[in-house]
Amino acid sequence: EDGVETVDEDTYLTAVVLSEMPASFKPEALAAQAVAARTFLARQRLAGKHMDCDVCADSACCQAYQTDAQLHARWGSEYVVLRARIDRAVRATDGLLLTSGGLPIEVLYHACSGGKTEDAAAVFASAKPYLVSVDSPGEEGYAGFRADASFSCEEAADLLLRAFPGCGVTADTLPSAIRLQSTTASGRVATLLVGSQTVRGADFRKALSLRSTYFTWEADGDRIVFHTVGYGHGVGLSQAGAQAMAAGGADFAEILAHYYPGTQLTRMDKTGFSGS
């Protein structure tokens, strides 16, 4: 098991933003990500999720975090310049958190929404008033806005049977054995019929490692092709959308107010929250 590394907050936040968002993004988009990362850290501290540390480096649990050496290896000679860009974003937002009811919000973000973010209730069990679907224009220029994933029918049937044992799909019955049942308000796949089983779009996405639940599919000879829009779960801040807003002249506060409606920007001192 890895040991606990102690770093100061700004160093941690700079590393998270460098790990989570393209460092070439506009300064105001980077600043929005810095506030999101700081808010996440504050919420994890309050929750006391980890016994021996504030946060872990696993993006599935906390946030992606790479050490100085890992980031150096990833960025090479550009590292010093990129790090300075992120350092500025972290310093420009010093102490700022997103709060709701005086407490740090649950921060979710993703690479690209595909034009409209998703309501948290459609992906996760819990609804939050600030994690609702909003339009996210200007993302079309993002490199991964649209992508295709192609499978042989054998391969797709194998993956689906592994994920949903007993669904009864075979290579011969694909793609007709997959039928759309319902979509979410933002147009993503909510549920599908896979053979004889109803499955959640999120579970189907995971089974085939698709980029998002914003997908359609079609037969292509003896293959099945999935056309995806966007990248990630679609909830909260869209990084591609933040970049588009920043390019259009929005500052980080406007970006955050758009993607987390009804939240407040609150300045907290480094020691944490006043009161209990």
Side-chain angles (χ1 to χ4, degrees):
E1 186 161 299
D2 293 337
V4 173
E5 185 184 345
T6 303
V7 293
D8 73 80
E9 185 172 306
D10 285 359
T11 302
Y12 169 78
L13 293 173
T14 296
V16 167
V17 178
L18 258 173
S19 303
E20 292 276 14
M21 181 179 256
S24 58
F25 272 22
K26 301 276 182 196
E28 295 298 323
L30 295 171
Q33 182 73 50
V35 175
R38 187 181 293 107
T39 304
F40 187 97
L41 174 62
R43 192 177 171 98
Q44 292 295 88
R45 276 179 176 153
L46 273 183
K49 189 172 178 183
H50 296 287
M51 295 277 288
D52 53 351
C53 60
D54 289 329
V55 282
C56 73
D58 174 9
S59 63
C61 177
C62 287
Q63 302 184 98
Y65 169 82
Q66 293 175 302
T67 63
D68 210 42
Q70 289 170 318
L71 288 165
H72 237 298
R74 178 176 164 190
W75 296 107
S77 57
E78 292 176 89
Y79 176 62
V80 177
V81 175
L82 296 177
R83 188 184 175 96
R85 279 179 69 88
I86 310 293
D87 274 336
R88 281 196 293 276
V90 170
R91 282 202 307 273
T93 61
D94 190 43
L96 288 175
L97 305 178
L98 281 174
T99 61
S100 177
L103 291 171
I105 69 164
E106 184 177 332
V107 167
L108 290 166
Y109 48 84
H110 57 282
C112 176
S113 78
K116 200 176 180 73
T117 68
E118 181 61 287
D119 198 306
V123 183
F124 307 102
S126 59
K128 292 278 186 288
Y130 49 80
L131 293 176
V132 291
S133 179
V134 298
D135 287 330
S136 186
E139 293 188 355
E140 298 78 9
Y142 177 76
F145 184 74
R146 289 181 194 281
D148 288 348
S150 174
F151 301 86
S152 71
C153 288
E154 272 91 3
E155 193 183 359
D158 186 45
L159 290 167
L160 292 171
L161 284 166
R162 205 175 302 169
F164 315 113
C167 68
V169 298
T170 62
D172 300 343
T173 58
L174 289 179
S176 59
I178 304 169
R179 276 167 294 173
L180 180 65
Q181 269 192 328
S182 63
T183 55
T184 68
S186 71
R188 290 168 170 80
V189 174
T191 58
L192 305 130
L193 201 59
V194 177
S196 58
Q197 264 182 46
T198 295
V199 305
R200 292 176 66 240
D203 296 330
F204 188 93
R205 174 199 171 197
K206 194 173 167 188
L208 295 183
S209 304
L210 301 177
R211 288 168 64 89
S212 75
T213 56
Y214 219 147
F215 63 84
T216 56
W217 63 95
E218 62 179 345
D220 180 18
D222 60 352
R223 299 185 72 77
I224 179 168
V225 181
F226 292 88
H227 307 291
T228 58
V229 182
Y231 190 18
H233 51 60
V235 180
L237 176 79
S238 163
Q239 294 173 324
Q243 170 71 346
M245 281 187 73
D251 66 20
F252 73 87
E254 291 169 306
I255 293 168
L256 292 167
H258 178 73
Y259 287 104
Y260 302 105
T263 58
Q264 287 76 46
L265 262 182
T266 309
R267 193 176 294 280
M268 298 290 176
D269 62 37
K270 287 287 168 70
T271 56
F273 294 86
S274 51
S276 58

